[in-house]
Amino acid sequence: MEFLQSYFNLLIVGICVVIGYVWTTLTVEDDKSRRFIPLVMAVIGMILACIDARGVSLEIILSGSVSGLASTGCYEAFKQLILKPKWIEEKSEER
């Protein structure tokens, strides 16, 4: 895991989190396009990394794809920890 940590670019992670959040907000839960979010974030991460580095190499592509995929995990963690979890809503409805 330490190997991949050196490839995180927080700027790319942040941009991809925002794009993923907007995508999930604008689509309904049953939308089949949501299953492509990790793939799209990896590709967007690669493109942003190449723009940021002003070049293309395998290391830059790996950095971008790892950062893009990390954004999907960050979004899920944000959704589970920061936003009101479902189990809290269920307990308040029972009362």
Side-chain angles (χ1 to χ4, degrees):
M1 191 64 164
E2 290 179 27
F3 165 73
L4 290 177
Q5 287 177 346
S6 63
Y7 291 104
F8 283 114
N9 183 328
L10 290 179
L11 179 64
I12 294 173
V13 173
I15 292 170
C16 288
V17 165
V18 170
I19 293 170
Y21 176 75
V22 170
W23 186 342
T24 56
T25 303
L26 293 178
T27 57
V28 295
E29 254 184 69
D30 298 340
D31 192 354
K32 300 245 185 219
S33 71
R34 284 184 167 203
R35 68 181 179 190
F36 295 110
I37 290 176
L39 173 65
V40 172
M41 292 305 110
V43 171
I44 289 173
M46 284 185 240
I47 293 168
L48 291 173
C50 291
I51 291 170
D52 185 41
R54 295 180 178 86
V56 179
S57 72
L58 291 177
E59 190 172 348
I60 293 168
I61 290 172
L62 177 63
S63 172
S65 60
V66 166
S67 298
L69 290 173
S71 72
T72 59
C74 289
Y75 172 76
E76 286 300 317
F78 172 76
K79 188 172 83 173
Q80 297 296 324
L81 297 174
I82 307 299
L83 298 178
K84 191 173 182 182
K86 289 182 181 178
W87 61 271
I88 293 175
E89 291 175 7
E90 291 171 0
K91 284 187 177 182
S92 64
E93 290 173 2
E94 291 175 1
R95 293 179 184 176

